[in-house]
Each structure stands twice: as structure tokens, then as C-alpha cells.
Amino acid sequence: MTGATPVVVRTWATVVEMLAAAATEAPDAEALVFGDRRLTYATYLACVAGFARELDALGARDDRVATLIGNSIEACVAAFAALAAGAQHVPLNPQYTARELGPILADAAPVVLVVDAAMAPMAEPVARRAGVRHVIVVGERARRLDTWRAAEVTLPPLPGAQALALLQYTGGTTGGAKGVDLTHGAIAINVAQRDALLPSRPGDRILCMMPLSHAYGMAMGLFLAAHCAGTLVILSRYLPDEVFAAIQRERIGVFPGSPTVFVGLMSHPDFARTDWRSVHTCYSGAAPLAAATLERWRDAVGAPVYEGYGMTEAGPVLSFNPSGRPARPGSVGVALPLTDLEIVDVESGRQVLPVGTCGEVRARGPQCMRGYRNRPDETALALRDGWLYTGDIGELDAEGYLYIRDRKKDMAIVGGYNVYPREVEEVLFEHPDVADAAVVGAPDAYRGEVLVAHVVLRAGASADAGSLLAHCRANLAKYKVPTRVRLAAALPKTAVNKSDKNALRRLGATDSPAA
């Protein structure tokens, strides 16, 4: 077992109290930036309080408020207002289609849906069919949520730490989306847990290009900024040109990203021309970051990348590489304070495995979910004897650093050997011509399964499938070498920029070998 020291920095019962504290301590500090729109903390809290009172009057307290809003000031105000109104906030992915949205709204049963004007024509009929009583359309071409300028801010009565705060739906890449129930106390203490390992700086300027509807964007953008009374500089989405411009124009200090973002930016011609001197801290999440990518970014930008690990079910952060120590390439760090991590056998989940052995990662801590909404059987599988079973394969070293090797479902059995595709991907990323890579298992009549590598080459690269296979043979045991390499212009991605391995498996099952 590994657990960090149980010392946590300042905590709140809810993240709304965190925002209120920032407004008290730094009322005139810049809180939100979105294009030419800018809000101070005093105005931010006034807007949250005003909209929260409106939601409370609509009957949202002890019920649910769903939001279907792209990155914007409206997304930030609506999120905090739902929490301040005593409702459970249900952030929904603005990329959902009507087919995807309908079952989720039926499961969540919100009393209010706050929707961006661009999505309202699709979402309103779906919401009505799902029984949503109130639909509020917002956006720059509709109703803006930054219009309150009250001299005195009156928040509704705030909920307690044990009240439900978030209902976050997982991506659903392995089936129907599952709603994760998280309490106010869980999400508030998780901010403090992470800050104990990576202390934030008061007034930090934080770039937010990750979706604010996703657990990572909320934790490392929305809540992080309120925690340090920092400025959240919001981009509507990840576009390299806008990222480069914002870095320089807004003097960004904190840069939360993902492997896709880091790889994409380093491949862009403007990367080397951008002045990165203001950036002092970079975070990586959402998917494992290749060690070679981490090192290239650090050397080019001059700021370390702190990689962490978590999941929606864990509020969402479980571990992080702490500041003040050299980064360990390939590791997602040590357990947060008040968090225990163990590696157990994949079959039963009961046998704790020794240091350096791969198995399923299980965790326990105050940030973990209460359960899945309306899914008692799946809750019972995920939460056992006080532990959250993550479904991730990993190992711990002697100093408690965690290494994620893969997901249980991604493990391939090749000729009787267990192979974790992440190990193969790390080798591919070390090739200088590889920009992106994902490896999946494919059925094989002889060996049970074989590995198929899907690779995106850097611009101007000369490598071919044969040379990539030779690189793998030089660095991997024979049974770990892919039997096929498929070169592609791009890899399919999920809504949060993870490689869509389900799509790649379908492609690999029908694709002819490239080598």
C-alpha cells in the first residue's frame, strides 16, 4: 500500500466557499477572461449568486441542473451557480448528438437544462421529451450570465459537504455512459489534496482549453483558478494558433494540457517562435504521457510537466508528481494526501501484489465517488470493501511512485503472454519520426490476439512501416512486436482527446497489413 502524508492545505466544505473566499480576498483581481470579456472576482461571485437564486426559485435545490455549454464565461457561472443553489450539477459534453443526449437526460432527470444557443435547436426537443421542466438558453447571442452587478452579494443557503454536488457522466466508450455521484466535500478536498503536492501561486494565470464539461477541465481549470484566486483564460476549444496567441497575450503561467495537445503543439511551426517564458508549470492528464514527449516539451519550453492520474470516479485526482522533486518520466506520481493506492491481482482483486508487479490499481480516499447513479450492480463492482477499483493496470515502485501500464480491457494476450499496449506505444513514441501512436489487440486464429499499431508520422518524416517495426524489434520482446503497422494522417479521438481505441479496433479488424 502507498499513501501520502495526511497533511492537507486549507480546505472548504464546498468549492462555492472557495470562490467566495477569493472574492473576499481579491475582489478586484481578474477572474475570468474569454475573448474581450473579463470579469473580476467580485463580479464573478455576484453573477454566480444571482443565477443561483434564480435556479433555486425554479426548484433546483436538492434536484439536478444540467448544463450543455461550450467553454465560456457562461459555463463557469452556470457551474458554480448550480452548486450554490443546492442542486447537483450535471455537466454534459457539448459534442453530444440528440441520440447520445436523450438517454443521459432521461437518466439524470434534471429539473433545469442550461444550454448554449448554438445547441438549443437540437437539445430543447430532447429535453422536453425527457421531462425537463425548464430550459434556459444562454450565450453571447442569447442570454449572457455576466449581467449581475449587485453591490451586495447574497448567496442562497449553501449545501453541506455530504450533499451531492456533481453528476458527471463518463465517456461511455465501452457502452452506455454512467453517471458518477460526487459530493461537495469530495470535490473540494480533492483541490486541496492536489495543491498539497503541487502548491499553486496566488493570482496564477491559467489557460483553459480543455473542455469545462470534463472532470479534468473542471478540476485543473475551473476549481484550480478559484482556489488560488487566479485568472482563468478560457479558449472555446483547442486550436494551436489561439493557444500560441494566448500564451503571449495573457502571460500564462499555468498550462494544463494532454498528450494530444503537447504533441500537436510541438509539431506546429509556430511552437519555436512562441515566447514561453511566462509559463512556469505544466500539467498533463486525460491519458498517459509518453516519456519522450515529456522530455522534449521540458527541454523546449523550460517548464516541467507534472503528470498526474485520476478518473471521474475519483473526484478526479488520485496521484501527481510532486513539485520540488525531479520528474520521473513514465510515472504519474505518488498518492495524494489522505489517499491510499494498492496494486492487486486482476482476477479477484483481493491479493495485494509486491512492488514492481503489474496488477489492477485500487484506491481509497475522501475524494472518491459515492457510486453510479441508477446502477447498483456496477457500483458494487467498482466499490468493494471501501476501495475504488479503477480498471487500470499499473505498478508501484519502492518509493510509492505509480506507473500506469494500461487498462484491463486493453490488455492483449499474445500466444499466452499478457501484453500491455502502452509499453509498445512508449517505444513507438521514442522513434524521432513518430508524432502520435496507439496500439490495440486484434483477434488472430493462431496466437489468440496480435498487436496492431496505428501511427501518425511527423511532417517530413522518412520512416515507413518496416522501419518502425525494426525499431520495435530492437526494443521489445518478440511477442510484443506488432504484426501490423498502419500509417495514418490522424488517429480518431474521443471528446477529451484520448485515442479512440474502440474505433481503432474496428479499423484494425478489417485493415490489411501495412508491413
Side-chain angles (χ1 to χ4, degrees):
M1 179 191 297
T2 180
T5 176
V7 176
V8 181
V9 296
R10 179 182 179 186
T11 60
W12 291 263
T14 74
V15 292
V16 181
E17 294 175 29
M18 187 186 303
L19 176 64
T24 298
E25 295 166 7
D28 298 325
E30 200 168 56
L32 300 177
V33 174
F34 183 62
D36 59 0
R37 298 168 64 188
R38 294 173 185 261
L39 265 64
T40 65
Y41 267 98
T43 301
Y44 190 9
L45 185 63
C47 295
V48 167
F51 194 42
R53 292 194 301 272
E54 180 178 333
L55 294 173
D56 196 2
L58 292 176
R61 182 168 298 275
D62 300 322
D63 213 305
R64 283 158 301 286
V65 171
T67 56
L68 188 67
I69 312 173
N71 280 13
S72 60
I73 284 176
E74 278 65 39
C76 299
V77 172
F80 270 112
L83 298 173
Q88 189 179 17
H89 177 215
V90 189
L92 301 174
N93 187 338
Q95 296 187 51
Y96 282 150
T97 63
R99 181 177 178 179
E100 294 165 315
L101 182 62
I104 292 177
L105 286 178
D107 183 69
V111 68
V112 179
L113 171 66
V114 187
V115 60
D116 194 296
M119 288 164 272
M122 176 276 291
E124 284 195 85
V126 178
R128 300 301 182 195
R129 288 194 296 271
V132 179
R133 296 201 300 273
H134 307 284
V135 177
I136 300 174
V137 181
V138 300
E140 295 196 37
R141 297 183 179 180
R143 179 182 171 185
R144 289 169 46 147
L145 296 183
D146 61 354
T147 56
W148 283 273
R149 297 291 190 275
E152 294 185 9
V153 176
T154 305
L155 287 164
L158 295 181
Q162 296 307 309
L164 290 174
L166 288 177
L167 177 60
Q168 288 191 300
Y169 281 82
T170 59
T173 55
T174 59
K178 300 189 292 286
V180 174
D181 279 327
L182 292 163
T183 66
H184 281 273
I187 61 173
I189 201 168
N190 197 226
V191 179
Q193 288 172 302
R194 184 214 48 80
D195 205 75
L197 289 187
L198 279 166
S200 52
R201 302 181 184 181
D204 256 335
R205 299 183 69 81
I206 304 160
L207 187 65
C208 181
M209 63 191 134
M210 308 302 285
L212 281 166
S213 58
H214 186 257
Y216 181 53
M218 295 186 80
M220 303 307 294
L222 185 68
F223 300 150
L224 170 61
H227 174 77
C228 67
T231 303
L232 190 67
V233 179
I234 308 163
L235 300 183
S236 59
R237 60 189 183 280
Y238 165 62
L239 292 172
D241 290 345
E242 293 189 11
V243 171
F244 296 131
I247 290 291
Q248 299 184 145
R249 182 184 67 247
E250 301 294 341
R251 306 182 314 282
I252 297 299
V254 177
F255 188 90
S258 69
T260 299
V261 168
F262 292 120
V263 169
L265 291 177
M266 286 192 292
S267 300
H268 196 282
D270 287 341
F271 177 74
R273 294 193 286 266
T274 299
D275 183 354
W276 293 90
R277 286 177 294 179
S278 64
V279 176
H280 59 78
T281 301
C282 304
Y283 300 126
S284 182
L289 179 67
T293 303
L294 183 152
E295 291 166 1
R296 287 183 59 233
W297 179 274
R298 180 198 60 211
D299 292 344
V301 172
V305 179
Y306 296 102
E307 191 171 8
Y309 165 67
M311 57 199 309
T312 302
E313 290 88 339
V317 186
L318 288 169
S319 71
F320 241 109
N321 274 284
S323 62
R325 304 186 213 171
R328 295 202 179 188
S331 172
V332 292
V334 298
L336 299 186
L338 305 179
T339 303
D340 294 317
L341 297 175
E342 287 186 343
I343 307 299
V344 295
D345 70 290
V346 173
E347 290 74 23
S348 72
R350 294 190 182 95
Q351 179 186 355
V352 179
L353 301 178
V355 165
T357 306
C358 276
E360 182 172 3
V361 181
R362 70 177 184 181
R364 64 183 177 191
Q367 72 270 45
C368 291
M369 70 172 181
R370 182 174 291 179
Y372 295 116
R373 177 175 170 82
N374 296 330
R375 292 177 180 252
D377 291 344
E378 294 190 50
T379 297
L381 285 174
L383 296 176
R384 286 177 267 160
D385 300 320
W387 291 93
L388 170 65
Y389 284 75
T390 67
D392 286 318
I393 301 296
E395 63 181 279
L396 290 163
D397 68 16
E399 297 178 65
Y401 279 78
L402 178 64
Y403 298 79
I404 299 298
R405 300 308 184 195
D406 222 304
R407 290 283 296 171
K408 280 171 66 176
K409 67 177 182 295
D410 285 342
M411 184 182 73
I413 302 177
V414 180
Y417 291 96
N418 291 352
V419 182
Y420 299 109
R422 186 64 205 169
E423 181 181 2
V424 185
E425 290 164 1
E426 287 279 359
V427 169
L428 287 167
F429 272 114
E430 290 170 3
H431 193 287
D433 284 351
V434 172
D436 202 0
V439 176
V440 296
D444 181 79
Y446 179 61
R447 283 172 282 187
E449 288 181 285
V450 294
L451 297 177
V452 179
H454 299 261
V455 176
V456 178
L457 297 177
R458 300 187 187 282
S462 59
D464 58 16
S467 61
L468 294 176
L469 282 174
H471 173 69
C472 289
R473 291 189 191 105
N475 291 279
L476 293 166
K478 184 177 180 180
Y479 68 88
K480 296 180 182 179
V481 176
T483 60
R484 283 182 275 171
V485 171
R486 180 183 179 273
L487 301 180
L491 300 185
K493 301 290 182 180
T494 67
V496 293
N497 276 329
K498 294 182 182 181
S499 293
D500 188 340
K501 291 200 170 183
N502 282 339
L504 292 174
R505 287 188 190 93
R506 292 192 294 270
L507 182 62
T510 58
D511 198 30
S512 59

mmCIF file of all heavy atoms in Angstrom, residues 459-490:
data_model
loop_
_atom_site.group_PDB
_atom_site.id
_atom_site.type_symbol
_atom_site.label_atom_id
_atom_site.label_comp_id
_atom_site.label_asym_id
_atom_site.label_seq_id
_atom_site.Cartn_x
_atom_site.Cartn_y
_atom_site.Cartn_z
ATOM 1 N N ALA A 459 5.626 15.689 -39.779
ATOM 2 C CA ALA A 459 5.748 16.292 -41.104
ATOM 3 C C ALA A 459 7.176 16.131 -41.612
ATOM 4 O O ALA A 459 8.136 16.412 -40.891
ATOM 5 C CB ALA A 459 5.361 17.766 -41.041
ATOM 6 N N GLY A 460 7.297 15.665 -42.830
ATOM 7 C CA GLY A 460 8.613 15.500 -43.440
ATOM 8 C C GLY A 460 9.351 14.253 -43.019
ATOM 9 O O GLY A 460 10.517 14.072 -43.405
ATOM 10 N N ALA A 461 8.721 13.385 -42.244
ATOM 11 C CA ALA A 461 9.387 12.172 -41.766
ATOM 12 C C ALA A 461 9.619 11.201 -42.912
ATOM 13 O O ALA A 461 8.857 11.146 -43.877
ATOM 14 C CB ALA A 461 8.554 11.506 -40.682
ATOM 15 N N SER A 462 10.681 10.408 -42.774
ATOM 16 C CA SER A 462 11.022 9.449 -43.830
ATOM 17 C C SER A 462 10.750 8.004 -43.425
ATOM 18 O O SER A 462 10.936 7.088 -44.222
ATOM 19 C CB SER A 462 12.501 9.597 -44.204
ATOM 20 O OG SER A 462 13.323 9.364 -43.060
ATOM 21 N N ALA A 463 10.331 7.784 -42.192
ATOM 22 C CA ALA A 463 10.101 6.416 -41.721
ATOM 23 C C ALA A 463 8.948 5.772 -42.472
ATOM 24 O O ALA A 463 8.033 6.443 -42.954
ATOM 25 C CB ALA A 463 9.807 6.416 -40.221
ATOM 26 N N ASP A 464 9.007 4.438 -42.574
ATOM 27 C CA ASP A 464 7.889 3.688 -43.114
ATOM 28 C C ASP A 464 7.535 2.590 -42.118
ATOM 29 O O ASP A 464 8.153 2.468 -41.047
ATOM 30 C CB ASP A 464 8.201 3.121 -44.496
ATOM 31 C CG ASP A 464 9.438 2.217 -44.493
ATOM 32 O OD1 ASP A 464 9.874 1.787 -43.402
ATOM 33 O OD2 ASP A 464 9.962 1.942 -45.587
ATOM 34 N N ALA A 465 6.533 1.789 -42.464
ATOM 35 C CA ALA A 465 6.085 0.752 -41.543
ATOM 36 C C ALA A 465 7.208 -0.225 -41.216
ATOM 37 O O ALA A 465 7.366 -0.655 -40.063
ATOM 38 C CB ALA A 465 4.884 0.013 -42.135
ATOM 39 N N GLY A 466 8.017 -0.558 -42.214
ATOM 40 C CA GLY A 466 9.099 -1.504 -41.988
ATOM 41 C C GLY A 466 10.122 -1.000 -40.989
ATOM 42 O O GLY A 466 10.580 -1.750 -40.109
ATOM 43 N N SER A 467 10.498 0.272 -41.095
ATOM 44 C CA SER A 467 11.498 0.813 -40.163
ATOM 45 C C SER A 467 10.933 0.937 -38.750
ATOM 46 O O SER A 467 11.658 0.780 -37.761
ATOM 47 C CB SER A 467 12.002 2.177 -40.657
ATOM 48 O OG SER A 467 10.957 3.127 -40.732
ATOM 49 N N LEU A 468 9.628 1.196 -38.640
ATOM 50 C CA LEU A 468 9.020 1.256 -37.312
ATOM 51 C C LEU A 468 8.983 -0.122 -36.667
ATOM 52 O O LEU A 468 9.211 -0.264 -35.456
ATOM 53 C CB LEU A 468 7.608 1.839 -37.405
ATOM 54 C CG LEU A 468 7.520 3.316 -37.845
ATOM 55 C CD1 LEU A 468 6.070 3.732 -37.992
ATOM 56 C CD2 LEU A 468 8.236 4.219 -36.846
ATOM 57 N N LEU A 469 8.712 -1.133 -37.476
ATOM 58 C CA LEU A 469 8.736 -2.499 -36.937
ATOM 59 C C LEU A 469 10.157 -2.885 -36.514
ATOM 60 O O LEU A 469 10.347 -3.542 -35.483
ATOM 61 C CB LEU A 469 8.210 -3.476 -37.976
ATOM 62 C CG LEU A 469 6.679 -3.512 -38.146
ATOM 63 C CD1 LEU A 469 6.300 -4.406 -39.307
ATOM 64 C CD2 LEU A 469 6.010 -3.997 -36.863
ATOM 65 N N ALA A 470 11.144 -2.476 -37.290
ATOM 66 C CA ALA A 470 12.526 -2.765 -36.920
ATOM 67 C C ALA A 470 12.880 -2.085 -35.596
ATOM 68 O O ALA A 470 13.576 -2.664 -34.751
ATOM 69 C CB ALA A 470 13.466 -2.295 -38.030
ATOM 70 N N HIS A 471 12.389 -0.872 -35.418
ATOM 71 C CA HIS A 471 12.594 -0.147 -34.155
ATOM 72 C C HIS A 471 11.960 -0.913 -32.987
ATOM 73 O O HIS A 471 12.560 -1.038 -31.910
ATOM 74 C CB HIS A 471 11.995 1.250 -34.284
ATOM 75 C CG HIS A 471 11.982 2.047 -33.023
ATOM 76 N ND1 HIS A 471 13.128 2.535 -32.431
ATOM 77 C CD2 HIS A 471 10.938 2.433 -32.232
ATOM 78 C CE1 HIS A 471 12.794 3.192 -31.330
ATOM 79 N NE2 HIS A 471 11.487 3.147 -31.177
ATOM 80 N N CYS A 472 10.753 -1.433 -33.195
ATOM 81 C CA CYS A 472 10.091 -2.216 -32.150
ATOM 82 C C CYS A 472 10.860 -3.507 -31.854
ATOM 83 O O CYS A 472 11.040 -3.882 -30.688
ATOM 84 C CB CYS A 472 8.652 -2.541 -32.560
ATOM 85 S SG CYS A 472 7.535 -1.125 -32.556
ATOM 86 N N ARG A 473 11.314 -4.181 -32.897
ATOM 87 C CA ARG A 473 12.056 -5.435 -32.691
ATOM 88 C C ARG A 473 13.335 -5.205 -31.897
ATOM 89 O O ARG A 473 13.777 -6.076 -31.141
ATOM 90 C CB ARG A 473 12.388 -6.063 -34.054
ATOM 91 C CG ARG A 473 11.182 -6.591 -34.808
ATOM 92 C CD ARG A 473 11.617 -7.392 -36.028
ATOM 93 N NE ARG A 473 10.472 -7.680 -36.883
ATOM 94 C CZ ARG A 473 10.204 -7.071 -38.031
ATOM 95 N NH1 ARG A 473 11.040 -6.120 -38.476
ATOM 96 N NH2 ARG A 473 9.146 -7.394 -38.741
ATOM 97 N N ALA A 474 13.916 -4.027 -32.081
ATOM 98 C CA ALA A 474 15.165 -3.725 -31.374
ATOM 99 C C ALA A 474 14.934 -3.387 -29.908
ATOM 100 O O ALA A 474 15.886 -3.368 -29.127
ATOM 101 C CB ALA A 474 15.880 -2.564 -32.072
ATOM 102 N N ASN A 475 13.700 -3.125 -29.524
ATOM 103 C CA ASN A 475 13.429 -2.648 -28.174
ATOM 104 C C ASN A 475 12.413 -3.471 -27.393
ATOM 105 O O ASN A 475 12.174 -3.177 -26.210
ATOM 106 C CB ASN A 475 12.915 -1.201 -28.242
ATOM 107 C CG ASN A 475 13.981 -0.226 -28.675
ATOM 108 O OD1 ASN A 475 14.802 0.202 -27.874
ATOM 109 N ND2 ASN A 475 13.981 0.123 -29.961
ATOM 110 N N LEU A 476 11.832 -4.500 -28.025
ATOM 111 C CA LEU A 476 10.780 -5.270 -27.381
ATOM 112 C C LEU A 476 10.989 -6.766 -27.588
ATOM 113 O O LEU A 476 11.547 -7.191 -28.602
ATOM 114 C CB LEU A 476 9.401 -4.882 -27.942
ATOM 115 C CG LEU A 476 8.886 -3.474 -27.652
ATOM 116 C CD1 LEU A 476 7.704 -3.146 -28.557
ATOM 117 C CD2 LEU A 476 8.493 -3.320 -26.184
ATOM 118 N N ALA A 477 10.497 -7.542 -26.625
ATOM 119 C CA ALA A 477 10.471 -8.987 -26.824
ATOM 120 C C ALA A 477 9.621 -9.311 -28.050
ATOM 121 O O ALA A 477 8.699 -8.568 -28.398
ATOM 122 C CB ALA A 477 9.888 -9.670 -25.587
ATOM 123 N N LYS A 478 9.925 -10.420 -28.690
ATOM 124 C CA LYS A 478 9.294 -10.740 -29.963
ATOM 125 C C LYS A 478 7.772 -10.739 -29.885
ATOM 126 O O LYS A 478 7.094 -10.242 -30.788
ATOM 127 C CB LYS A 478 9.801 -12.104 -30.452
ATOM 128 C CG LYS A 478 9.271 -12.492 -31.826
ATOM 129 C CD LYS A 478 9.866 -13.825 -32.281
ATOM 130 C CE LYS A 478 9.341 -14.209 -33.653
ATOM 131 N NZ LYS A 478 9.904 -15.505 -34.106
ATOM 132 N N TYR A 479 7.244 -11.264 -28.782
ATOM 133 C CA TYR A 479 5.775 -11.368 -28.717
ATOM 134 C C TYR A 479 5.103 -10.014 -28.506
ATOM 135 O O TYR A 479 3.878 -9.883 -28.663
ATOM 136 C CB TYR A 479 5.365 -12.351 -27.616
ATOM 137 C CG TYR A 479 5.650 -11.905 -26.198
ATOM 138 C CD1 TYR A 479 4.732 -11.152 -25.488
ATOM 139 C CD2 TYR A 479 6.843 -12.269 -25.570
ATOM 140 C CE1 TYR A 479 4.990 -10.749 -24.189
ATOM 141 C CE2 TYR A 479 7.104 -11.881 -24.266
ATOM 142 C CZ TYR A 479 6.181 -11.118 -23.579
ATOM 143 O OH TYR A 479 6.440 -10.727 -22.295
ATOM 144 N N LYS A 480 5.881 -8.977 -28.181
ATOM 145 C CA LYS A 480 5.311 -7.638 -28.006
ATOM 146 C C LYS A 480 5.364 -6.794 -29.284
ATOM 147 O O LYS A 480 4.803 -5.700 -29.316
ATOM 148 C CB LYS A 480 6.060 -6.905 -26.892
ATOM 149 C CG LYS A 480 5.915 -7.536 -25.521
ATOM 150 C CD LYS A 480 6.684 -6.730 -24.486
ATOM 151 C CE LYS A 480 6.593 -7.359 -23.105
ATOM 152 N NZ LYS A 480 7.359 -6.586 -22.102
ATOM 153 N N VAL A 481 6.044 -7.286 -30.306
ATOM 154 C CA VAL A 481 6.187 -6.517 -31.544
ATOM 155 C C VAL A 481 4.898 -6.601 -32.350
ATOM 156 O O VAL A 481 4.372 -7.699 -32.582
ATOM 157 C CB VAL A 481 7.367 -7.052 -32.381
ATOM 158 C CG1 VAL A 481 7.454 -6.320 -33.715
ATOM 159 C CG2 VAL A 481 8.666 -6.901 -31.593
ATOM 160 N N PRO A 482 4.342 -5.466 -32.792
ATOM 161 C CA PRO A 482 3.123 -5.505 -33.608
ATOM 162 C C PRO A 482 3.338 -6.320 -34.876
ATOM 163 O O PRO A 482 4.437 -6.332 -35.448
ATOM 164 C CB PRO A 482 2.869 -4.034 -33.947
ATOM 165 C CG PRO A 482 3.577 -3.272 -32.872
ATOM 166 C CD PRO A 482 4.785 -4.085 -32.523
ATOM 167 N N THR A 483 2.294 -6.991 -35.319
ATOM 168 C CA THR A 483 2.359 -7.691 -36.596
ATOM 169 C C THR A 483 1.979 -6.773 -37.747
ATOM 170 O O THR A 483 2.273 -7.083 -38.897
ATOM 171 C CB THR A 483 1.416 -8.898 -36.600
ATOM 172 O OG1 THR A 483 0.081 -8.451 -36.375
ATOM 173 C CG2 THR A 483 1.806 -9.896 -35.529
ATOM 174 N N ARG A 484 1.324 -5.669 -37.424
ATOM 175 C CA ARG A 484 0.916 -4.714 -38.444
ATOM 176 C C ARG A 484 1.166 -3.300 -37.946
ATOM 177 O O ARG A 484 0.953 -2.994 -36.784
ATOM 178 C CB ARG A 484 -0.574 -4.863 -38.778
ATOM 179 C CG ARG A 484 -0.911 -6.044 -39.674
ATOM 180 C CD ARG A 484 -2.404 -6.065 -39.971
ATOM 181 N NE ARG A 484 -3.139 -6.746 -38.911
ATOM 182 C CZ ARG A 484 -4.466 -6.755 -38.819
ATOM 183 N NH1 ARG A 484 -5.195 -6.093 -39.690
ATOM 184 N NH2 ARG A 484 -5.072 -7.401 -37.847
ATOM 185 N N VAL A 485 1.611 -2.448 -38.861
ATOM 186 C CA VAL A 485 1.702 -1.023 -38.608
ATOM 187 C C VAL A 485 0.874 -0.313 -39.664
ATOM 188 O O VAL A 485 1.085 -0.513 -40.868
ATOM 189 C CB VAL A 485 3.157 -0.514 -38.665
ATOM 190 C CG1 VAL A 485 3.198 1.012 -38.614
ATOM 191 C CG2 VAL A 485 3.972 -1.102 -37.522
ATOM 192 N N ARG A 486 -0.068 0.455 -39.214
ATOM 193 C CA ARG A 486 -0.922 1.215 -40.138
ATOM 194 C C ARG A 486 -0.575 2.696 -40.018
ATOM 195 O O ARG A 486 -0.703 3.286 -38.945
ATOM 196 C CB ARG A 486 -2.399 1.008 -39.814
ATOM 197 C CG ARG A 486 -3.322 1.773 -40.741
ATOM 198 C CD ARG A 486 -4.783 1.585 -40.340
ATOM 199 N NE ARG A 486 -5.648 2.345 -41.216
ATOM 200 C CZ ARG A 486 -5.981 3.624 -41.031
ATOM 201 N NH1 ARG A 486 -5.508 4.268 -39.985
ATOM 202 N NH2 ARG A 486 -6.782 4.242 -41.888
ATOM 203 N N LEU A 487 -0.083 3.279 -41.097
ATOM 204 C CA LEU A 487 0.243 4.702 -41.114
ATOM 205 C C LEU A 487 -1.008 5.498 -41.456
ATOM 206 O O LEU A 487 -1.756 5.151 -42.364
ATOM 207 C CB LEU A 487 1.342 4.981 -42.135
ATOM 208 C CG LEU A 487 2.663 4.226 -41.911
ATOM 209 C CD1 LEU A 487 3.664 4.592 -43.001
ATOM 210 C CD2 LEU A 487 3.234 4.536 -40.535
ATOM 211 N N ALA A 488 -1.247 6.571 -40.688
ATOM 212 C CA ALA A 488 -2.462 7.364 -40.876
ATOM 213 C C ALA A 488 -2.131 8.843 -40.761
ATOM 214 O O ALA A 488 -1.122 9.240 -40.153
ATOM 215 C CB ALA A 488 -3.500 6.977 -39.825
ATOM 216 N N ALA A 489 -2.991 9.672 -41.347
ATOM 217 C CA ALA A 489 -2.816 11.117 -41.244
ATOM 218 C C ALA A 489 -3.176 11.618 -39.846
ATOM 219 O O ALA A 489 -2.635 12.623 -39.376
ATOM 220 C CB ALA A 489 -3.673 11.826 -42.284
ATOM 221 N N ALA A 490 -4.095 10.918 -39.175
ATOM 222 C CA ALA A 490 -4.517 11.286 -37.823
ATOM 223 C C ALA A 490 -5.176 10.082 -37.188
ATOM 224 O O ALA A 490 -5.649 9.178 -37.890
ATOM 225 C CB ALA A 490 -5.479 12.468 -37.850
#
